[in-house]
Amino acid sequence: MKNFNNRLTERILGLSFLGIIGYTTASAQSENYVFNRAPLDQNVSVQLPLGSIKAKGWLLKQLELQKDGATGMAEELYPEDDNLGKNSDWLGGNGSGWERVPYYVKGLIALAYTLDDKGLKNKAQKYIDWTLDNQQANGLFGPPKMKDWWPRMPMMYALQSYYEATNDKRVIPFLTKYFKYELANLDADPLREWGKSRAGDNMEIAIWLYNKTGDKDLLSLVEKLKNQAYPWTDIYSENQFFFYGDDYQPKHMVNVAQALKLPVIYAQANALPIYRTAMAKGIAHIMHDHGQPEGLGSGTEFLAGRSSTQGVETCTVVEWMQSLETAARIISDASIGDQLEKIAFNALPAQFSRDFKNHSYYTLPNQVQSVNGDQGFNQDYGTGIISSPYSGYGCCRYNMHMGWPYYVKNSWVATPNGGLTVVSYGPMDVEAVVGNHKKIKITENTNYPFEEQIKLGIAVEDGTNFPLSLRIPSWSTKAQVKLNGVILNGVKAGEIYKIERSWSNGDQIELNFPMEIKSQQEVNNSVSIERGPMVYALQMQATKKTLREHSVSGFSDYEIRPTSAWNYGLVLDHGKIGNAAKVEKTVMPENPFDGLNTPVKLKLIAKRIPEWGMAYNKVSAFDVPFSPVVSTEKEEEITLIPYGAESIRLSCFPVVGKPVKTVKSLDEGFNKAMPTNWVFYGGGWYWKDGAVHASSNGSSGGYGIHGSKIVATGTDFSDFTYQADVKVNTAGDAGLMFRVSDPAIGADAYKGYYVGLNPTTGNIELGKASNQKWILISAVKYPVKMNSTYKLKLVAKGNRFEVFLDGAEKAILAATDNEYTSGNIGLRAYNAQATFDSVKVKSL
């Protein structure tokens, strides 16, 4: 009802796109850069032109590795007609490049002009020239046979960046002509699939062009694009990712990450608060249900829960970063920069080999080896977690190139009042125009985030007045800002600190962001360890095995296997990190994401947990065991290194201690949201209307559709009564799991029992998973109806089980079995969508 009310409110208010003017006021806009025209929100910052910000130090090294690695050699690695070959349809050939060329050129342009590298510029120029010089008479651009709005969207980002760097006069009329074509044709050929998901990209460039030209047809286009897109504002605000049945687009995590910016982009034109708050609400929902230590949500490729052995796709990382980079210009909120840095400093480098020649399609918080094999993910690839130029599906090997260059080019923004704001930190030099058309150069000298100090040197004409706004990280509670050696007052964690003054050449700002070591609670009551914006993971000894040498010299596929123990639990003082961790610092290397030479390591005390080992598939580990965990092993000192400094890792640690007392009862009505202490394995689970649902897995290519499970991993019941409301919504079966241990992805990847209702066969079945095989213990015929709710009750006492239905006093099924005596309770659906509610368990 709330969703309906939101939409109804919008209709009643009748707030048309063209009529909305931001409610906030701003001082007269600076003429240094092109800012939002009326009726758009006037308080929005803009990117500095590409090339204005130059990386140096460790950050420059990442860009140079890209140049010499996968980005610079991409055309040699992927020379096929359908990829980046000379016969690409994006060069007038017969290939079918679809999104691959635009993805690549988007990142290539950003890297080329950030590095000011002639060779990379030349690589990009042929794609730019062909695109600009071969626009059709009606305005359509790109390969003539490509009937899809979507691939043109990333190419428009490439053209925007190219224009900002070169001022090529072909770009503005080119985009103007295309957008007129788009506006005229969207009704007859509306957005679909990827374009419908990613319309925010199109909207962002249309607004950028409107600010250049003032053509109000572009505002009409933005309105049309927003209306044809998925209703992302409602999806994020109300946690509706799984509400679309077999349509997988709104639960595809790359789409989810990429569209995070759509409501914020539209908020420039519509002052309703729901558009400004939707992204933050969406991120909160994602992190609650699917969050991982490195700062974003799992997705393989669908949203995949909080398990430590679920993955994150490389495309998700770079798209989530870009959404935050866009949002940071529109909404002045320090937390956006905090989130951006956490992803950039942890998730982004984790996706790549140290030399940037390889990537992993998926990375996992607890990825104790990187080998070929099926994980059982909803979208599974045998090469999905190995280090390779060809890991997993082809999208990421083209899209990944924008990660670091976009981080650099979006780290500082120009504000409408003639100032600058720091969105994210790193070693860089910035050239901009401030105040009354005054040129400025700021040298940002730092080894941040590996060190706590950042020094900003100001080179400007004496007497130049402009505001400089500094993001103060929320994690640095004792942050300090000095101006020419004098401590400034009023600095607060999690806020934007503004210094407005008449500046002199040679002014110096010194930022000090003390980094405390903290623990964050993760899945199964485990913890991750953080220092400032960095997450730390176990340093493991490993061996690499080359699987394949590629024709391009220096590029190969390889597996990585640990040669040292990985199954550690932390020994903490009363569950707190406190003084348990020691910091070891060494000299700053060229590449701090090289695990052998990283400049900051943490030392902690831990114990091995011998019973924690590899899962059934022998590809991944079992999920992190529920904490506290008993260990009688000796204490050892272990070393933690930055999350992104190696290709295998353990970042969700169990905590060693006395197990929590077994709960005697459980009463879960799913009244508000998904409970955090239930973990799902395979498929998708979501909350709606006071119940939990097993989702559709339409288009799933993995095992997740078969035997999708959600388990209350903190429970342990032996003899009990267990009842729940169960509704099977499609063909297949669904029901209750009990005495469960070692759950993993896969139909029979658990130890324990299951009783299910099957409307397809007309059976109620009781069975067990043993040695990864389903064993039917007993079954009874019963006219189970689809879409009908049944109150299913189980009584387990010793080796005897009785099953009751709808409050009947007589058991409909009774059986005995001796294999499992205690364990977790959970819910399961096999090839079915299903609904569960009113879970009640009571020990006997």
Side-chain angles (χ1 to χ4, degrees):
M1 181 61 73
K2 187 174 182 181
N3 301 336
F4 174 78
N5 287 340
N6 283 343
R7 292 190 292 270
L8 182 62
T9 299
E10 293 182 54
R11 288 198 296 270
I12 292 175
L13 291 175
L15 296 174
S16 72
F17 180 88
L18 296 176
I20 295 298
I21 300 177
Y23 295 150
T24 56
T25 60
S27 58
Q29 282 198 347
S30 165
E31 295 180 2
N32 299 327
Y33 300 102
V34 178
F35 293 90
N36 275 356
R37 294 173 180 258
L40 301 178
D41 183 356
Q42 302 291 285
N43 284 324
V44 174
S45 299
V46 297
Q47 290 177 330
L48 298 176
L50 179 60
S52 301
I53 307 173
K54 299 295 187 186
K56 56 188 182 182
W58 72 261
L59 190 51
L60 174 61
K61 183 63 177 179
Q62 305 311 305
L63 302 182
E64 291 174 339
L65 289 169
Q66 278 194 241
K67 171 193 168 185
D68 297 333
T71 307
M73 300 300 292
E75 292 176 343
E76 289 77 9
L77 288 166
Y78 318 118
E80 300 80 12
D81 292 351
D82 288 349
N83 296 323
L84 304 179
K86 294 179 180 180
N87 199 34
S88 164
D89 52 351
W90 284 94
L91 294 174
N94 297 320
S96 182
W98 193 48
E99 67 183 7
R100 292 182 283 278
V101 169
Y103 264 161
Y104 174 59
V105 178
K106 177 182 176 182
L108 178 62
I109 284 283
L111 180 64
Y113 285 91
T114 299
L115 286 177
D116 194 19
D117 184 271
K118 184 177 180 180
L120 294 179
K121 291 178 184 177
N122 287 339
K123 282 181 179 289
Q125 193 67 44
K126 61 181 177 292
Y127 299 108
I128 296 294
D129 286 342
W130 184 88
T131 301
L132 291 174
D133 293 343
N134 288 277
Q135 188 171 29
Q136 298 176 37
N138 60 10
L140 191 64
F141 76 88
K145 64 183 179 182
M146 187 180 69
K147 307 299 182 183
D148 192 344
W149 298 107
W150 150 240
R152 296 175 169 89
M153 298 180 193
M155 186 57 85
M156 287 189 285
Y157 274 123
L159 293 172
Q160 177 208 34
S161 294
Y162 171 73
Y163 176 82
E164 294 281 12
T166 68
N167 200 31
D168 189 318
K169 298 187 183 304
R170 294 176 293 172
V171 174
I172 298 301
F174 174 91
L175 288 175
T176 298
K177 190 173 182 180
Y178 172 68
F179 284 142
K180 288 186 180 299
Y181 170 87
E182 192 175 32
L183 180 62
N185 286 273
L186 274 172
D187 287 337
D189 183 18
L191 298 176
R192 62 185 185 277
E193 296 180 339
W194 306 106
K196 186 177 178 181
S197 297
R198 302 169 180 183
D201 295 33
N202 204 149
M203 294 162 61
E204 183 169 16
I205 301 300
I207 287 176
W208 174 82
L209 186 62
Y210 168 71
N211 291 325
K212 299 286 188 187
T213 67
D215 181 355
K216 290 192 175 182
D217 281 350
L218 292 165
L219 301 182
S220 299
L221 174 62
V222 171
E223 177 75 1
K224 189 177 293 290
L225 289 165
K226 185 262 182 185
N227 289 336
Q228 288 193 8
Y230 284 96
W232 286 112
T233 300
D234 284 342
I235 291 170
Y236 293 129
S237 299
E238 305 297 335
N239 202 3
Q240 296 177 354
F241 305 103
F242 286 99
F243 283 24
Y244 290 79
D246 287 343
D247 184 351
Y248 62 87
Q249 296 282 345
K251 63 186 176 188
H252 187 283
M253 183 52 93
V254 176
N255 290 342
V256 170
Q258 194 162 350
L260 279 169
K261 60 184 176 286
L262 187 151
V264 182
I265 290 168
Y266 189 66
Q268 296 173 94
N270 192 317
L272 284 177
I274 56 173
Y275 298 115
R276 294 180 66 86
T277 61
M279 184 186 79
K281 290 178 179 178
I283 291 174
H285 288 310
I286 294 166
M287 296 306 291
H288 180 275
D289 293 349
H290 312 278
Q292 298 199 325
E294 71 275 32
L296 32 63
S298 66
T300 54
E301 295 170 354
F302 306 158
L303 283 77
R306 300 179 66 233
S307 167
S308 65
T309 54
Q310 274 289 351
V312 173
E313 185 182 342
T314 301
C315 281
T316 296
V317 176
V318 296
E319 293 293 355
W320 198 310
M321 285 176 60
Q322 189 189 355
S323 285
L324 293 173
E325 290 156 356
T326 295
R329 297 195 298 273
I330 299 170
I331 300 175
S332 181
D333 185 338
S335 69
I336 297 174
D338 289 350
Q339 294 170 52
L340 173 60
E341 286 187 350
K342 190 170 189 180
I343 295 170
F345 299 151
N346 298 287
L348 183 63
Q351 301 294 137
F352 304 113
S353 60
R354 310 288 71 78
D355 58 7
F356 211 94
K357 290 184 176 179
N358 289 0
H359 71 282
S360 294
Y361 189 75
Y362 294 133
T363 60
L364 287 55
N366 284 0
Q367 185 173 328
V368 301
Q369 61 180 12
S370 173
V371 299
N372 266 311
D374 293 333
Q375 297 275 346
F377 297 145
N378 284 291
Q379 291 291 339
D380 220 2
Y381 307 94
T383 61
I385 65 167
I386 68 164
S387 187
S388 166
Y390 303 90
S391 179
Y393 188 68
C395 54
C396 295
R397 68 191 67 147
Y398 303 100
N399 193 24
M400 66 188 191
H401 306 280
M402 71 167 171
W404 283 123
Y406 265 59
Y407 179 82
V408 173
K409 85 185 190 86
N410 288 287
S411 55
W412 291 68
V413 296
T415 57
N417 55 3
L420 296 172
T421 295
V422 188
V423 173
S424 51
Y425 294 98
M428 310 176 210
D429 288 337
V430 183
E431 294 185 353
V433 181
V434 296
N436 186 22
H437 307 295
K438 301 292 186 180
K439 291 183 179 180
I440 187 173
K441 181 175 181 178
I442 299 178
T443 58
E444 186 176 356
N445 293 322
T446 183
N447 287 325
Y448 178 91
F450 302 94
E451 295 179 0
E452 299 168 326
Q453 289 76 36
I454 302 168
K455 294 182 179 179
L456 304 177
I458 310 295
V460 69
E461 182 181 321
D462 287 348
T464 299
N465 192 290
F466 72 93
L468 177 61
S469 298
L470 309 169
R471 191 192 104 252
I472 310 301
S474 59
W475 45 261
S476 190
T477 57
K478 298 179 181 179
Q480 186 182 79
V481 178
K482 291 182 181 179
L483 175 61
N484 297 328
V486 178
I487 297 175
L488 302 182
N489 296 323
V491 176
K492 295 181 180 180
E495 294 188 358
I496 304 292
Y497 185 75
K498 183 191 291 186
I499 305 172
E500 187 162 9
R501 67 190 297 268
S502 179
W503 298 85
S504 298
N505 190 46
D507 280 344
Q508 296 283 332
I509 296 173
E510 185 176 335
L511 309 174
N512 187 37
F513 297 146
M515 298 178 182
E516 299 178 13
I517 300 173
K518 300 178 181 179
S519 62
Q520 295 292 330
Q521 188 169 10
E522 304 293 347
V523 64
N524 286 339
N525 215 26
S526 65
V527 296
S528 59
I529 305 300
E530 299 179 356
R531 178 179 179 266
M534 304 284 285
V535 179
Y536 284 77
L538 178 68
Q539 183 176 39
M540 287 183 258
Q541 303 301 313
T543 182
K544 293 183 180 180
K545 176 184 177 183
T546 300
L547 302 176
R548 178 186 174 190
E549 296 279 0
H550 296 292
S551 58
V552 181
S553 178
F555 289 81
S556 60
D557 299 351
Y558 51 83
E559 292 184 332
I560 306 171
R561 297 179 186 270
T563 57
S564 61
W566 57 264
N567 51 351
Y568 285 101
L570 299 181
V571 178
L572 303 179
D573 182 15
H574 301 291
K576 298 181 179 179
I577 193 73
N579 297 321
K582 296 184 294 184
V583 181
E584 285 191 354
K585 298 181 181 179
T586 56
V587 65
M588 185 72 178
E590 273 195 315
N591 183 9
F593 292 110
D594 179 348
L596 295 177
N597 301 306
T598 189
V600 181
K601 298 182 180 181
L602 306 182
K603 300 285 188 176
L604 291 95
I605 302 301
K607 289 184 177 183
R608 288 194 61 188
I609 302 172
E611 60 272 22
W612 182 22
M614 299 302 293
Y616 308 104
N617 58 14
K618 304 303 180 185
V619 175
S620 64
F622 275 113
D623 202 0
V624 58
F626 194 89
S627 292
V629 181
V630 169
S631 175
T632 58
E633 300 293 302
K634 66 178 182 180
E635 291 188 350
E636 302 177 47
E637 186 177 69
I638 61 171
T639 301
L640 275 58
I641 61 175
Y643 185 98
E646 195 40 279
S647 297
I648 60 174
R649 69 192 61 81
L650 187 80
S651 66
C652 293
F653 291 90
V655 177
V656 174
K658 185 178 180 181
V660 176
K661 291 181 180 179
T662 303
V663 293
K664 298 297 182 183
S665 64
L666 177 69
D667 190 343
E668 180 58 71
F670 306 110
N671 293 321
K672 295 182 179 179
M674 290 285 286
T676 57
N677 57 341
W678 290 62
V679 183
F680 65 83
Y681 299 94
W685 294 81
Y686 65 99
W687 181 89
K688 181 181 181 183
D689 298 333
V692 67
H693 306 263
S695 74
S696 161
N697 275 277
S699 300
S700 172
Y703 302 140
I705 190 172
H706 303 302
S708 177
K709 303 176 284 291
I710 184 167
V711 181
T713 51
T715 60
D716 188 9
F717 290 103
S718 298
D719 296 343
F720 54 88
T721 62
Y722 175 13
Q723 70 179 42
D725 294 344
V726 181
K727 181 171 67 171
V728 186
N729 302 321
T730 63
D733 61 85
L736 313 180
M737 303 174 69
F738 59 101
R739 293 183 181 173
V740 172
S741 62
D742 293 337
I745 303 172
D748 305 315
Y750 65 101
K751 299 173 183 175
Y753 298 102
Y754 166 73
V755 57
L757 308 178
N758 191 326
T760 305
T761 62
N763 283 338
I764 298 176
E765 300 176 345
L766 173 67
K768 64 180 179 180
S770 181
N771 295 319
Q772 300 181 71
K773 294 181 180 179
W774 169 250
I775 299 173
L776 180 65
I777 297 172
S778 183
V780 63
K781 286 290 184 182
Y782 190 88
V784 180
K785 295 181 180 179
M786 208 174 292
N787 295 308
S788 293
T789 300
Y790 297 90
K791 192 170 292 296
L792 182 60
K793 178 180 176 181
L794 168 80
V795 178
K797 190 169 184 179
N799 68 348
R800 182 171 176 80
F801 313 121
E802 294 181 322
V803 179
F804 302 83
L805 213 60
D806 291 338
E809 295 185 2
K810 183 178 179 181
I812 193 171
L813 183 154
T816 61
D817 190 82
N818 294 305
E819 187 165 1
Y820 304 116
T821 59
S822 68
N824 308 144
I825 61 97
L827 307 169
R828 181 174 182 264
Y830 185 83
N831 288 357
Q833 297 177 50
T835 300
F836 302 85
D837 198 3
S838 302
V839 172
K840 296 180 180 180
V841 189
K842 184 176 181 181
S843 294
L844 295 176

